[in-house]
Amino acid sequence: MLGYIYGYDVTPPDFKKAACWFEKAAEQGHRDAQLKLGFYYQQGRGVRQNYKTAFNLFTQAAAQGHATAMYNIGDAFENGFGVEKDEKQAFGWYRKSAELGDKWGMFGAGRLLFCGIGTPPNQEEGRRWINKAAKAGLPEAIKWRPH
């Protein structure tokens, strides 16, 4: 909670202190702290930007079933953030995330399915996932939605 307080509830935020507290919790296996600290490393917020460290933290949280962390692993594979680009891996992680109800995972899986990236193209299933993300309120999915 101290990580959230320093990173989101104080004005101005103290990202360095937030990262410190997220790190303490992440080391104890707290999956939400692993995810947040992963974001901090990904964005260079309160810590030196390091995509590999972010990826490792996302992997730890995903191993505990964190759907958003799974999406972030997919994003890393799709864009080569801290790992070698691998569109097939990206699709697999997006799909895992989507199946657990993450709207970003739904959007990622839908985009790749629709376009046939990392998986054989399936526009019908791609539309289904993108529409689910849009219904969940994801603005990017609402804008992108293929007709």
Side-chain angles (χ1 to χ4, degrees):
M1 286 309 299
L2 287 171
Y4 283 101
I5 290 168
Y6 282 114
Y8 302 95
D9 289 344
V10 297
T11 305
D14 188 333
F15 296 126
K16 233 178 179 165
K17 282 186 182 174
C20 177
W21 287 107
F22 284 137
E23 185 168 12
K24 288 178 189 296
E27 287 171 354
Q28 294 177 27
H30 191 280
R31 71 184 201 155
D32 290 335
Q34 291 164 339
L35 176 73
K36 282 294 181 195
L37 188 59
F39 285 140
Y40 275 42
Y41 274 102
Q42 186 181 54
Q43 299 164 4
R45 183 179 281 185
V47 294
R48 175 173 277 148
Q49 187 176 46
N50 186 321
Y51 289 120
K52 285 186 181 191
T53 300
F55 182 83
N56 289 336
L57 287 158
F58 294 146
T59 300
Q60 291 171 31
Q64 297 183 67
H66 202 299
T68 302
M70 292 175 191
Y71 164 79
N72 281 286
I73 293 170
D75 185 54
F77 276 118
E78 183 178 10
N79 296 293
F81 295 143
V83 291
E84 192 172 321
K85 259 182 121 166
D86 184 331
E87 292 168 338
K88 188 174 181 179
Q89 284 277 355
F91 172 72
W93 283 102
Y94 285 155
R95 183 155 201 145
K96 286 179 188 182
S97 173
E99 289 170 350
L100 290 174
D102 185 85
K103 59 188 171 187
W104 279 101
M106 294 173 194
F107 182 55
R111 276 187 311 101
L112 298 190
L113 273 163
F114 190 85
C115 297
I117 299 170
T119 186
N122 185 331
Q123 291 188 345
E124 184 179 330
E125 189 178 353
R127 263 193 205 93
R128 186 174 63 79
W129 281 115
I130 293 167
N131 286 334
K132 282 183 88 165
K135 285 178 186 166
L138 185 66
E140 288 79 355
I142 295 166
K143 289 178 204 163
W144 199 91
R145 226 180 349 195
H147 303 289

